[in-house]
Amino acid sequence: MSNLELFDMAIMALLVFLLCIISLMNQKNLMERIAIAVDWFIIPIFIGRLIGAILYESLPAPLSVNPTKGDFIEWILPWSILETLLILSVILLSWLEVKRQKNDKEATKNNSIRAIAIVFISTGPAGLLAITLTLYHTIKNEQVSELGFIVPAIIFPIISISNMIPSIDGFGDNITLIIGLLSLLLCALTVPMKKEIWTMVLAIDAHLMLYTGILWTGLFTTIYLPIILISISTVVWVVGILQLRRVLRVWGLFDLLIAIIASLLVLGSTMLNPSILLISLIVLAVELGFVTWLSLSNEEELIKD
């Protein structure tokens, strides 16, 4: 079976969706059951998509589909049907979250996992909608661990959409770097905004996205490498001092060591250039001096920590 002839996939998706609707008929506690029904729609398709793509190559690989080019019956129509059903599922899940909030019920868990599954099934639009709405509900409900999963996944629907819109193809690396920088900035802002619950997850996401962005964009071969790594170290270290978190302080020191070693190993002769070396030493001295001053200013609290 060719992975370009997917009319059977559309029939299967419609049947699964129909069975999920039938399972809800004459049932009580619909709010809980609708979420379960949506899961039963998403999970089989997600598993089938992965198995079909990886083991049998009967389906295209996730994030690589252009649903606008191909035979209408065997390609465009199946992807359009699947995307429509996924969008309906996302809207339904978002509506459920709003209803749960109005009824003062506990927020749904594992929304980020659902969203990521939809991203890997979707050709782009449904995945982007799922990520956006999940991000909104996650922040509103203060689901910290959920945010940690959903932020790195932002890049995936953009990659999918780039298959349809060639003009945005190639921006994934820059977007990854921007997400990392925003995560680092938000991590720093948790101090004045007194949102300590988000600090750790934002620090993790900032590291993940910035390191990925540095490698993806090729910035690791430029002078931007030490600048970004020193920035990560400074923010994490300072936040660790101000929020009295020993883990972050140790992490910031470790980041500084990585910045020094990586810069010397990767840039080599560039870093040993007298002018650049002087600037680097000044920056290093400023960071260490600032951290030391901040530590002394909060000495009593840090001793207790």
Side-chain angles (χ1 to χ4, degrees):
M1 179 180 175
S2 171
N3 61 8
L4 300 178
E5 299 174 357
L6 302 177
F7 187 72
D8 291 345
M9 181 191 72
I11 300 299
M12 183 271 292
L14 286 170
L15 285 175
V16 173
F17 196 79
L18 182 61
L19 289 173
C20 290
I21 293 174
I22 293 172
S23 70
L24 296 173
M25 291 181 177
N26 301 319
Q27 297 289 341
K28 298 179 180 179
N29 195 14
L30 276 179
M31 287 186 64
E32 299 294 337
R33 292 185 177 276
I34 288 174
I36 295 172
V38 172
D39 284 344
W40 277 109
F41 170 68
I42 294 171
I43 292 172
I45 296 177
F46 173 67
I47 294 173
R49 179 75 189 276
L50 290 183
I51 293 175
I54 296 172
L55 296 183
Y56 302 106
E57 297 184 0
S58 58
L59 291 172
L63 313 180
S64 66
V65 174
N66 181 355
T68 62
K69 291 184 178 180
D71 183 77
F72 179 77
I73 299 297
E74 296 290 349
W75 184 261
I76 297 175
L77 183 61
W79 287 118
S80 299
I81 291 173
L82 179 60
E83 199 70 15
T84 302
L85 295 177
L86 289 173
I87 290 173
L88 289 174
S89 300
V90 171
I91 293 172
L92 191 57
L93 288 171
S94 180
W95 174 79
L96 283 175
E97 283 300 309
V98 174
K99 294 293 289 184
R100 293 178 76 89
Q101 290 171 9
K102 288 183 178 179
N103 295 334
D104 295 324
K105 291 188 176 182
E106 186 181 357
T108 307
K109 297 180 180 179
N110 300 322
N111 281 330
S112 59
I113 305 300
R114 288 192 191 94
I116 292 171
I118 291 171
V119 165
F120 280 93
I121 302 169
S122 167
T123 56
L128 188 60
L129 182 63
I131 292 291
T132 304
L133 292 177
T134 303
L135 194 61
Y136 167 75
H137 290 299
T138 296
I139 295 172
K140 191 169 184 178
N141 297 327
E142 295 190 342
Q143 295 172 300
V144 178
S145 58
E146 299 273 340
L147 183 72
F149 285 108
I150 207 66
V151 168
I154 294 173
I155 191 64
F156 295 134
I158 297 173
I159 295 173
S160 293
I161 292 174
S162 69
N163 294 301
M164 292 185 286
I165 308 174
S167 58
I168 66 172
D169 188 22
F171 285 96
D173 51 357
N174 293 320
I175 293 172
T176 302
L177 199 61
I178 291 170
I179 294 171
L181 291 172
L182 286 175
S183 299
L184 188 64
L185 176 62
L186 291 172
C187 179
L189 290 176
T190 58
V191 177
M193 296 177 68
K194 300 187 183 302
K195 295 290 185 180
E196 291 84 358
I197 61 169
W198 301 107
T199 302
M200 187 60 72
V201 71
L202 286 170
I204 294 171
D205 284 342
H207 279 77
L208 177 62
M209 301 307 284
L210 283 173
Y211 278 107
T212 303
I214 288 171
L215 294 174
W216 196 353
T217 57
L219 288 179
F220 64 91
T221 60
T222 69
I223 196 64
Y224 289 107
L225 174 67
I227 294 174
I228 294 174
L229 295 184
I230 290 291
S231 299
I232 296 173
S233 169
T234 304
V235 170
V236 173
W237 205 340
V238 169
V239 170
I241 293 171
L242 295 176
Q243 291 186 351
L244 305 178
R245 294 192 179 189
R246 185 177 301 172
V247 172
L248 290 178
R249 297 198 297 273
V250 174
W251 196 358
L253 175 59
F254 187 66
D255 281 334
L256 180 61
L257 295 176
I258 290 177
I260 295 171
I261 295 171
S263 299
L264 290 174
L265 288 178
V266 176
L267 299 180
S269 58
T270 303
M271 290 300 298
L272 295 177
N273 182 285
S275 58
I276 294 179
L277 182 60
L278 177 61
I279 295 172
S280 301
L281 291 174
I282 292 173
V283 171
L284 183 61
V286 169
E287 179 186 4
L288 292 175
F290 180 67
V291 168
T292 302
W293 170 77
L294 208 57
S295 299
L296 291 174
S297 301
N298 297 271
E299 186 176 5
E300 293 183 5
E301 291 83 357
L302 291 175
I303 291 173
K304 294 177 183 178
D305 183 48

